[in-house]
Amino acid sequence: MFIQTEATPNPATLKFLPGRIVMGSGTLDMREPAEAERSPLAQRLFGVSGVSGVFLGSDFITVTKSDGEWPHLKPAILGAIMEHFMSGAPVLSEGSAADAIEEGEFFAPEDSGTVETIKDLLETRIRPAVAGDGGDITFRGYRDGTVYLVMKGACSGCPSSTATLKHGIQNLLHHFLPEVREVEAV
């Protein structure tokens, strides 16, 4: 098994590509070991000293470190990923599911057309680009010209996430929807 690695814009996060499907659908973002009970793969990764976050995407895994250097952590992480896939164990525990649509979405009923367009732009133009950097962005709400988004994986805590939100996503949404004035992370 050959696992590729890629740097992400977040220096605390590396993207691992095992060359196979990781999540058939959806994503799973775990920021502490207690959340890893849903995934045997994440449990193995949190077992590596220095790992503070695991994000499972369609065909990639991003791992966030709390301390240590990548040259020391990377071999242990690669070993954990390889052991998991070679064991034949499932990525998700029995009865577990990927992150569902975010709970608590909020927007006024009269804004449903705008929200539908925002979600379509997120799905077709923004999320694929962000997945390329090892993360994900999902819709949380819309109120008074402001779009609220949840940043996951490599995007969470990334030093360039503010620039991505303000200059990239905000400009794209405003181009298609002039009523969108601002984008905020929640």
Side-chain angles (χ1 to χ4, degrees), residues 20 22 39-41 44 81-93:
R20 58 182 66 184
V22 176
S39 168
L41 172 57
R44 280 185 202 255
I81 294 170
M82 190 172 298
E83 283 175 19
H84 175 80
F85 283 110
M86 300 307 272
S87 76
V91 171
L92 294 178
S93 302

Side-chain angles (χ1 to χ4, degrees), residues 115-126:
V115 168
E116 187 175 319
T117 303
I118 291 167
K119 287 181 174 183
D120 182 59
L121 289 167
L122 282 170
E123 196 63 37
T124 59
R125 295 179 181 246
I126 298 167

Side-chain angles (χ1 to χ4, degrees), residues 8-13 29 31 64-65 135-136 150-162 165 185-186:
T8 71
N10 184 345
T13 304
D29 191 20
R31 297 185 188 188
T64 303
K65 68 180 179 83
D136 195 15
V150 178
M151 303 184 80
K152 301 176 180 179
C155 295
S156 178
C158 177
S160 62
S161 64
T162 301
L165 277 177
V186 291

Side-chain angles (χ1 to χ4, degrees), residues 27-47:
T27 62
L28 189 56
D29 191 20
M30 296 154 286
R31 297 185 188 188
E32 55 187 59
E35 296 174 337
E37 66 187 32
R38 297 168 62 182
S39 168
L41 172 57
Q43 288 174 345
R44 280 185 202 255
L45 291 168
F46 274 111

